[in-house]
């Protein structure tokens, strides 16, 4: 029974789902704008928010925690060098989800997740 289990599964097992969300979060941070499905965007949004919030306090512990989350150091460097100074005075809400319509193939709701 799935009572009180609110995690989004996205039709994948645990390891592939975590890899998908890590890669999608890295893409959003690097390119600042990604087109994806609505379910994936809603699942990755808290991860991006927490990563940028951790980068706002530039400590070695936060850098190591982000390096352990992302597969490469490029998103971590961008968070600490570009995004943290940009959002220093913003208390939260670093991402925006814009609806684009339905995908022609299977009718999935497509959105664009971007950094504000």
């Amino acid at each position: 029974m799935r009572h009180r289990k609110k995690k989004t599964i996205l039709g994948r097992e645990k390891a592939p789902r975590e890899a998908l969300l890590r890669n999608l979060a890295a893409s959003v941070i690097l390119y600042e704008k990604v087109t994806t499905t609505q379910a994936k965007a809603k699942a990755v949004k808290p991860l991006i928010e927490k990563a940028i919030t951790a980068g706002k306090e530039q400590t070695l512990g936060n850098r190591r925690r982000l390096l352990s989350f992302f597969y490469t150091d490029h998103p971590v460097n961008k968070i600490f060098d570009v995004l943290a100074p940009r959002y220093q005075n913003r208390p939260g809400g670093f991402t925006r989800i814009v609806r684009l319509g339905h995908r022609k193939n299977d009718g999935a709701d497509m959105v664009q997740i971007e950094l504000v």
Side-chain angles (χ1 to χ4, degrees):
M1 291 182 283
R2 292 198 70 244
H3 299 302
R4 296 177 58 110
K5 295 185 181 179
K6 294 187 177 185
K7 183 173 35 172
T8 305
I9 295 175
L10 299 173
R12 290 165 174 82
E13 297 294 324
K14 184 177 194 287
R17 179 178 61 242
E18 286 181 354
L20 170 97
L21 293 177
R22 282 176 167 187
N23 285 323
L24 187 58
S27 295
V28 171
I29 288 169
L30 288 175
Y31 302 114
E32 299 189 8
K33 189 184 294 188
V34 173
T35 302
T36 183
T37 61
Q38 185 175 4
K40 291 176 189 173
K42 285 185 175 181
V44 79
K45 187 174 180 176
L47 301 176
I48 298 167
E49 300 278 341
K50 289 176 185 174
I52 294 175
T53 302
K56 284 169 63 174
E57 184 181 348
Q58 298 193 4
T59 61
L60 182 61
N62 285 340
R63 181 175 285 276
R64 286 180 176 166
R65 186 157 46 103
L66 290 177
L67 284 170
S68 70
F69 177 73
F70 293 109
Y71 291 122
T72 62
D73 59 344
H74 300 297
V76 178
N77 292 335
K78 182 160 184 184
I79 287 174
F80 278 97
D81 297 338
V82 178
L83 299 179
R86 184 192 303 174
Y87 297 125
Q88 194 62 44
N89 296 325
R90 191 177 181 101
F94 310 118
T95 57
R96 173 188 301 139
I97 295 178
V98 180
R99 292 180 173 220
L100 298 176
H102 301 291
R103 186 162 52 196
K104 200 169 187 104
N105 183 12
D106 59 354
D109 291 330
M110 297 300 291
V111 298
Q112 184 174 23
I113 184 166
E114 59 188 11
L115 297 177
V116 177

